[in-house]
Amino acid sequence: GAGVSQSPSNKVTEKGKDVELRCDPISGHTALYWYRQSLGQGLEFLIYFQGNSAPDKSGLPSDRFSAERTGGSVSTLTIQRTQQEDSAVYLCASSPSAQRAGELFFGEGSRLTVL
Amino acid sequence: GESVGLHLPTLSVQEGDNSIINCAYSNSASDYFIWYKQESGKGPQFIIDIRSNMDKRQGQRVTVLLNKTVKHLSLQIAATQPGDSAVYFCAENRDTGRRALTFGSGTRLQVQP
């Protein structure tokens, strides 16, 4: 498809397990973002990739969270030793360039439930 | 502290009326503001943006107003339709080298038929 694709759409896991969430951005978009949205809340910034620059990891809530972006395209967000407070919708977005940083194209998110 | 927030968590309007969604920000250094619409089960969708050197910007049925004096942002939707029912977020982007948007907590717009 032409939009941002995320998988899985839903993930239920047990506390303490590791999870990986995948994001396929729009082809040609150089910027990629991960946000987290808890129920009824706004979006919390997690991490930002721009081209070949070092990622901005300032939003990651703990060292259990990490993300990588391979080949400037697909990104994976990994949460190790999941906790119940990690339950949220994890949204990925891409943007054509840093100069258009406000126009983010979001995927539909990966809903994570930690039991 | 720095924040982007909203005055009303839920706004209910009649179909055909105009809607106004408000947002306050506290950082005078903010120079770029964006409105997003999020329908149930979907990711946010870009609506309109405005830079701090402007007071008003119009799109299709939507207008964003920026009042830098009182650090206030609003989104006006003309002739509101049932398809406009969603949660609306304002967001800001400060040109500090970090290009990550800061989002407010959202306002739910309910359009009554």
Side-chain angles (χ1 to χ4, degrees):
Chain A
V4 176
S5 178
Q6 292 188 245
S7 62
S9 56
N10 278 286
K11 176 70 175 180
V12 180
T13 190
E14 294 179 346
K15 177 181 174 181
K17 299 286 189 182
D18 298 351
V19 297
E20 286 190 349
L21 308 176
R22 176 188 169 103
C23 173
D24 283 276
I26 294 173
S27 178
H29 280 194
T30 59
L32 186 146
Y33 307 76
W34 283 98
Y35 283 85
R36 177 168 71 174
Q37 186 174 32
S38 300
L39 184 63
Q41 300 297 314
L43 280 70
E44 176 189 4
F45 166 73
L46 297 177
I47 188 169
Y48 159 61
F49 297 89
Q50 172 58 50
N52 295 322
S53 301
D56 177 356
K57 304 179 181 180
S58 60
L60 295 178
S62 78
D63 59 7
R64 296 186 295 105
F65 289 73
S66 63
E68 62 177 18
R69 188 180 185 190
T70 55
S73 181
V74 172
S75 177
T76 301
L77 176 69
T78 301
I79 309 173
Q80 296 178 309
R81 304 181 303 281
T82 52
Q83 303 294 313
Q84 289 183 333
E85 60 263 28
D86 299 335
S87 296
V89 176
Y90 289 82
L91 290 161
C92 176
S94 66
S95 178
S97 69
Q99 284 69 38
R100 294 171 59 184
E103 190 170 0
L104 272 56
F105 295 80
F106 282 87
E108 296 196 343
S110 292
R111 181 177 296 279
L112 174 65
T113 302
V114 182
L115 302 178
Chain B
E2 299 175 354
S3 67
V4 177
L6 294 169
H7 293 170
L8 297 173
T10 303
L11 176 64
S12 184
V13 300
Q14 293 293 319
E15 181 178 358
D17 288 351
N18 296 333
S19 301
I20 300 176
I21 301 171
N22 297 302
C23 178
Y25 65 95
S26 59
N27 188 343
S28 58
S30 298
D31 59 3
Y32 182 44
F33 304 90
I34 312 97
W35 282 100
Y36 278 83
K37 171 186 180 183
Q38 186 175 29
E39 296 177 273
S40 181
K42 297 186 177 181
Q45 179 182 16
F46 174 92
I47 301 174
I48 192 168
D49 59 0
I50 188 168
R51 295 198 176 275
S52 58
N53 61 351
M54 301 173 66
D55 297 323
K56 179 180 180 179
R57 191 166 187 219
Q58 289 185 295
Q60 186 177 11
R61 282 201 308 118
V62 296
T63 300
V64 55
L65 298 177
L66 176 62
N67 186 329
K68 294 181 287 294
T69 301
V70 295
K71 300 187 184 69
H72 185 267
L73 186 71
S74 68
L75 177 70
Q76 300 180 357
I77 305 173
T80 312
Q81 302 170 359
D84 295 327
S85 293
V87 177
Y88 290 80
F89 294 96
C90 64
E92 63 175 314
N93 188 322
R94 284 160 272 175
D95 189 12
T96 60
R98 177 181 129 169
R99 296 283 183 172
L101 298 180
T102 300
F103 284 80
S105 57
T107 291
R108 181 174 300 279
L109 177 64
Q110 296 178 332
V111 182
Q112 307 296 330

